[in-house]
């Protein structure tokens, strides 16, 4: 997304029906065009009267919302986080066929989770145990150490870097899966664009070589 105000809604990087049958077109359309769009619009409306924050990046707003004036603090926390999380959510999915983690991410996954299936089990357990609305994320620190984090509402995992974020707000799945969050997770998992996620992980490692 743009580095600062005014933020624009990134277009969906594939057609609405591209992720069928795992995520149907109606769910994807509402999720991107209504929910994601609302976070971006609300964030711009909140910031519009406050030019001193127009140079702040989305990441800065997500991390430093505590420093903002009382009247916009909670709104920016929610909507900047919503914009940040959803930007990643849509960018890390793609149509079938299924893919798998690639080097060096695959090795890191094996070290921490035993296997790709081990990662799936751990991430699914996190996703199912988020109480209410929130996210389950695969994250890395700047040295490439992987971890799974849960956040509530639209908080972010920053300053960790999220590699994958599973949206477990009901708006992400209820039209299609109703209360079956686990089935939605399995569908989401099949859609992960592992080549792209692996490339982002490799770039993070290159900019911060791990301590030997
Ligand atoms: Mn969402």
């Amino acid at each position: 997304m743009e580095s600062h105000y005014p933020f624009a809604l990134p277009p969906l990087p594939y057609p609405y029906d591209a992720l069928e049958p795992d995520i149907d077109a109606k769910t994807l359309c509402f999720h991107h065009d209504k929910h994601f769009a609302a976070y971006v619009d609300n964030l711009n409306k909140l910031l519009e009267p406050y030019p001193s924050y127009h140079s702040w990046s989305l990441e800065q707003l997500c991390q430093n919302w505590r420093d903002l004036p009382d009247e916009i603090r909670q709104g920016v926390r929610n909507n900047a986080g919503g914009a940040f999380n959803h930007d990643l959510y849509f960018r890390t999915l793609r149509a079938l066929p299924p893919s798998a983690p690639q080097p060096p991410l695959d090795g890191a996954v094996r070290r921490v989770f035993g296997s790709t299936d081990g990662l799936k089990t751990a991430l699914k357990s996190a996703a199912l145990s988020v109480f209410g609305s929130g996210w389950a994320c695969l994250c890395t620190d700047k040295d490439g150490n992987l971890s799974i984090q849960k956040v509530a509402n639209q908080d972010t995992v920053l300053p960790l870097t999220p590699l994958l974020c599973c949206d477990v707000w009901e708006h992400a799945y209820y039209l299609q899966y109703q209360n079956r969050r686990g089935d939605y997770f399995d569908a989401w998992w099949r859609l992960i664009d592992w080549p792209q996620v692996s490339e982002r992980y490799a770039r993070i490692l290159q900019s911060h070589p791990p301590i030997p």
Side-chain angles (χ1 to χ4, degrees):
M1 290 184 65
E2 286 75 12
S3 58
H4 56 74
Y5 174 94
F7 297 99
L9 178 69
L12 193 66
Y14 30 74
Y16 294 121
D17 62 358
L19 308 183
E20 298 251 16
D22 288 315
I23 295 179
D24 67 22
K26 188 174 180 187
T27 300
L28 202 57
C29 182
F30 271 88
H31 199 181
H32 180 274
D33 291 12
K34 304 295 181 189
H35 292 277
F36 186 12
Y39 293 117
V40 175
D41 288 349
N42 289 336
L43 179 60
N44 286 331
K45 280 180 196 147
L46 286 161
L47 292 174
E48 196 268 327
Y50 295 88
S52 45
Y53 303 110
H54 288 185
S55 62
W56 282 30
S57 69
L58 191 56
E59 287 80 359
Q60 273 179 296
L61 291 164
C62 290
Q63 292 190 79
N64 301 320
W65 55 266
R66 290 175 188 81
D67 301 333
L68 298 170
D70 287 350
E71 59 275 18
I72 60 168
R73 185 177 299 135
Q74 188 62 37
V76 170
R77 177 188 186 180
N78 293 340
N79 290 286
F84 179 84
N85 288 333
H86 284 89
D87 180 45
L88 185 69
Y89 177 82
F90 293 109
R91 280 195 290 118
T92 50
L93 302 182
R94 67 166 195 179
L96 301 170
S99 55
Q102 298 174 353
L105 180 59
D106 61 343
V109 166
R110 274 199 301 277
R111 279 194 298 281
V112 179
F113 303 101
S115 64
T116 305
D117 276 350
L119 166 61
K120 182 186 176 187
T121 301
L123 195 53
K124 185 171 182 176
S125 165
L128 292 178
S129 66
V130 171
F131 182 76
S133 297
W135 297 76
C137 308
L138 173 65
C139 307
T140 179
D141 67 12
K142 60 183 170 41
D143 297 319
N145 298 304
L146 299 178
S147 63
I148 287 175
Q149 307 289 334
K150 296 191 289 185
V151 292
N153 302 313
Q154 294 297 356
D155 283 347
T156 72
V157 299
L158 294 167
L160 293 176
T161 300
L163 295 170
L164 281 172
C165 288
C166 185
D167 189 345
V168 295
W169 282 60
E170 287 184 347
H171 70 226
Y173 61 89
Y174 215 83
L175 282 175
Q176 186 176 1
Y177 291 97
Q178 293 79 48
N179 62 325
R180 303 187 312 279
R181 190 188 282 187
D183 290 351
Y184 155 71
F185 178 92
D186 292 340
W188 171 83
W189 177 265
R190 285 191 289 273
L191 296 167
I192 294 170
D193 186 346
W194 284 112
Q196 190 222 113
V197 173
S198 302
E199 192 190 314
R200 283 184 45 240
Y201 180 73
R203 280 207 308 273
I204 290 160
L205 282 188
Q206 281 160 13
S207 54
H208 299 92
I211 299 156

